[in-house]
Amino acid sequence: MTALLRADGVSVRHGGRLILDAVDLEVRQGEIVTIVGPNGAGKTTLVRILVGLDRPDAGQVRRTDGLSIGYVPQRFHTESLLPLTVRRLMTLGQRAGDAAVQAALGETGAAHLTEAAVQTLSGGEMQRVLLARALLRQPDILILDEPAQGVDFRGQLDLYDLIAGLRRRHGMGVLMISHDLHVVMAATDRVICLHHHVCCVGHPEAVAQDPAYQRLFGREAAGHVALYSHDHHHVHGPDGTVQPGLVSCGHDHSGHAPGQDDPCSLPSHDAHFPPPPLSPPSGAGSRCAGGHSHD
Amino acid sequence: MTDMAGLLDDFVVRAGLAGLAVAVAAGPLGCFVIWRRMAYFGDALSHSALLGIALGTVLRVPVQATIVATGLIMAAFLTAFARQKRLGSDALLGIFSHAALSFGLIALAFLGAVRIDLHGLLFGDILAVDRIDLLQVWLGCAAVLGVLAAVWRPLLAATVHRDLAQAEGLPVARAELAFMLLMALTIAVAVKIVGVMLITALLIIPAAAARGLSRTPEQMAVLAAGIGVTAVSGGLGASLTWDLPAGPAIVATAALIFSATMVIRKTGKA
């Protein structure tokens, strides 16, 4: 299958901190790829580069010719200073007939919101409208930055069902960000676990079992609710060293280098997780890195 | 003789026509000032017009050109300084705004008060608009409306969500640059009408009044122009009837209309 979008060795540095370290990634036609990772892992930075908003310091992004991207940004807050109905929002950046607008809204279950003021929408309604708006561009690929943000649990499941349904009907590629693997699992073909670098890649169940993923997410991976910011206070010992065993990715990664003092990488990280296209793992240990091409 | 040329002999007719043109251009532009939260930015820009006038007088070139130039320089400064994080944008704009006003007043004082009607510059002198002024105002306002119409879609999309507009390939940077140019041009044109102290009022008050009565951005823009026209007509009428200063009378009328829309909105909701 053709890669619609691929990143090769994308690196970004912000004031000496390595935000993205040689990230490789590809999204093929008809495939749903989910990037998971804790807050501050560089997920949004990566997406901004993929949609062309920012440039990487190193590496490159390749898109197929004439690739139409349907982008849904992380935050969409419209000030009530600006009067805006859903109908008007739909055609803000693109021209489209009324029938097409109605069809797109209908497809995401937002047809009843057509005349509503954008400021009155709930988080879930807003996401459906933004999805419809992206659909109107007849995208080859949907790129969704935390589509479930500000949506309750039930609504999140509905939203991911909807995205999976859109993929089935239109056959577009989907790339989305999430910080909760369990909610997106059913609707995902491939998970990329990101923490500045790609920790592991694979089928969702495999990634959930992967030691690198479990180290990255700590107790969350075991089904507990863990607050990353809370973990922060427990990660460092009194002398400032990282306490083994308590390690979670909530701690400060300034001066981060792959494989060095990094909870999400195994000792032989580089050997275990070659960049996509997926190849069998070169050593025993993680099941995550290979053998999961689902096609 | 009541032909067009004859009509223009009447200073009231000239004032009215100039004021209407400015109101029609300032309404839609003012909507963007409100949406982009740039009221104080507009203030700083219009205060810099005094420096522009001083510069034009010294260089013996049309002051409108130097007002646009100083406005753009001011906009560039503000944009560059906005990137620093040590001061909030309100403080930054306050500094630039009042500094521009003070330096402008000092520059004008050097030129001598005889040559310059300071009161007219600060608060407008719409009743002294001559035929040349009128032509300039109309051409300037037509240019503002024309360019605004041309960049409307990308500018509006960038105002709603800049990243999304950019990701969708709209010429966001160009539209925002055009917007700065339009601000500077409107200020150059409106100085004669309401003066540097009241230009922002003419931009934002009609737009603010229109907000409560509109459901789409386009409705708000058209309504703002209409409310501006009403304010100019009412203000000029009041000025002639009660011998009020014209610029302040126009702004005061706009403010009264704004209050009325607030009341309408409240009772409408109840």
Side-chain angles (χ1 to χ4, degrees), chain A:
Chain A
M1 263 191 286
T2 41
L4 298 168
L5 180 71
R6 64 179 285 149
D8 290 312
V10 164
S11 298
V12 172
R13 199 175 273 282
H14 269 305
R17 282 190 67 187
L18 204 51
I19 305 297
L20 292 176
D21 180 12
V23 172
D24 297 319
L25 163 157
E26 68 171 14
V27 183
R28 285 164 277 183
Q29 200 170 349
E31 173 186 50
I32 298 185
V33 176
T34 302
I35 302 174
V36 296
N39 290 332
K43 300 180 302 257
T44 295
T45 307
L46 180 58
V47 160
R48 288 179 61 87
I49 287 169
L50 293 174
V51 299
L53 283 171
D54 292 326
R55 291 181 155 280
D57 294 322
Q60 57 173 326
V61 174
R62 269 179 278 183
R63 306 180 182 88
T64 52
D65 278 342
L67 184 75
S68 167
I69 296 178
Y71 171 51
V72 176
Q74 185 173 23
R75 263 179 290 272
F76 194 97
H77 173 72
T78 309
E79 310 244 22
S80 54
L81 308 167
L82 206 163
L84 195 65
T85 59
V86 168
R87 179 193 296 280
R88 186 67 189 86
L89 173 65
M90 292 294 284
T91 54
L92 203 56
Q94 64 215 330
R95 291 173 204 281
D98 201 46
V101 168
Q102 284 302 324
L105 284 169
E107 209 173 341
T108 62
H112 61 291
L113 301 170
T114 310
E115 303 304 330
V118 168
Q119 292 82 9
T120 63
L121 302 183
S122 72
E125 288 170 338
M126 190 73 215
Q127 289 301 329
R128 282 165 189 274
V129 168
L130 290 176
L131 263 175
R133 197 176 172 283
L135 281 183
L136 209 50
R137 303 176 62 80
Q138 297 178 312
D140 305 308
I141 182 169
L142 280 175
I143 299 185
L144 318 167
D145 192 349
E146 301 242 15
Q149 206 182 42
V151 181
D152 60 45
F153 186 71
R154 179 68 228 166
Q156 291 189 18
L157 294 176
D158 291 345
L159 202 58
Y160 289 121
D161 272 354
L162 172 64
I163 292 167
L166 292 176
R167 186 270 306 260
R168 261 197 312 279
R169 272 197 298 283
H170 298 277
M172 78 269 277
V174 178
L175 177 69
M176 55 186 177
I177 284 183
S178 172
H179 56 238
D180 187 352
L181 177 58
H182 293 278
V183 190
V184 291
M185 252 189 190
T188 298
D189 300 316
R190 199 148 53 90
V191 172
I192 294 171
C193 186
L194 184 78
H195 191 248
H196 304 297
H197 60 277
V198 176
C199 294
C200 61
V201 183
H203 195 265
E205 275 101 41
V207 167
Q209 299 300 319
D210 191 88
Y213 173 79
Q214 290 180 352
R215 284 170 198 228
L216 186 57
F217 279 85
R219 278 165 288 170
E220 176 134 318
H224 289 286
V225 178
L227 290 173
Y228 303 122
S229 56
H230 175 77
D231 282 345
H232 179 83
H233 302 294
H234 303 270
V235 177
H236 299 280
D239 55 348
T241 56
V242 176
Q243 297 274 28
L246 272 171
V247 180
S248 109
C249 269
H251 78 263
D252 184 21
H253 271 252
S254 50
H256 154 91
Q260 172 202 322
D261 198 21
D262 179 2
C264 82
S265 61
L266 294 167
S268 51
H269 163 80
D270 289 333
H272 277 94
F273 305 113
L278 305 178
S279 58
S282 54
S286 169
R287 297 162 47 202
C288 172
H292 292 287
S293 352
H294 41 274
D295 41 5

Side-chain angles (χ1 to χ4, degrees), chain B residues 15-247:
Chain B
L17 288 175
L20 295 185
V22 170
V24 168
L29 195 67
C31 290
F32 279 104
V33 174
I34 284 189
W35 296 335
R36 300 174 74 90
R37 296 184 176 270
M38 291 173 78
Y40 283 100
F41 189 94
D43 254 357
L45 234 52
S46 50
H47 289 177
S48 76
L50 283 184
L51 275 173
I53 291 166
L55 195 65
T57 312
V58 170
L59 299 177
R60 294 176 186 282
V61 293
V63 292
Q64 281 81 4
T66 47
I67 291 174
V68 171
T70 49
L72 288 179
I73 292 168
M74 183 63 138
F77 260 113
L78 287 170
T79 313
F81 270 83
R83 296 210 182 93
Q84 61 82 40
K85 302 278 179 229
R86 260 181 296 175
L87 274 180
S89 62
D90 58 332
L92 187 72
L93 288 169
I95 292 168
F96 271 85
S97 178
H98 295 102
L101 194 60
S102 303
F103 281 111
L105 288 170
I106 290 170
L108 289 173
F110 265 112
L111 294 176
V114 191
R115 289 161 64 190
I116 285 154
D117 167 22
L118 196 57
H119 192 271
L121 290 179
L122 292 177
F123 301 107
D125 200 1
I126 191 172
L127 298 179
V129 167
D130 62 27
R131 284 163 184 254
I132 305 284
D133 293 334
L134 186 58
L135 184 68
Q136 282 174 348
V137 166
W138 273 71
L139 286 178
C141 291
V144 167
L145 281 176
V147 174
L148 189 60
V151 300
W152 183 269
R153 178 178 288 266
L155 187 59
L156 182 62
T159 301
V160 170
H161 198 291
R162 194 174 194 280
D163 283 347
L164 191 56
Q166 209 171 353
E168 292 181 351
L170 293 170
V172 169
R174 207 191 323 161
E176 286 175 344
L177 189 67
F179 177 64
M180 293 296 168
L181 185 68
L182 292 181
M183 289 282 287
L185 192 57
T186 304
I187 286 161
V189 161
V191 163
K192 185 83 185 177
I193 313 300
V194 283
V196 297
M197 299 303 284
L198 298 176
I199 289 171
T200 318
L202 206 57
L203 282 167
I204 64 170
I205 299 178
R211 170 60 187 103
L213 310 173
S214 34
R215 283 180 49 79
T216 67
E218 288 76 14
Q219 272 177 13
M220 182 165 154
V222 171
L223 265 174
I227 290 170
V229 166
T230 314
V232 166
S233 317
L236 266 183
S239 166
L240 293 171
T241 312
W242 296 298
D243 195 24
L244 308 176

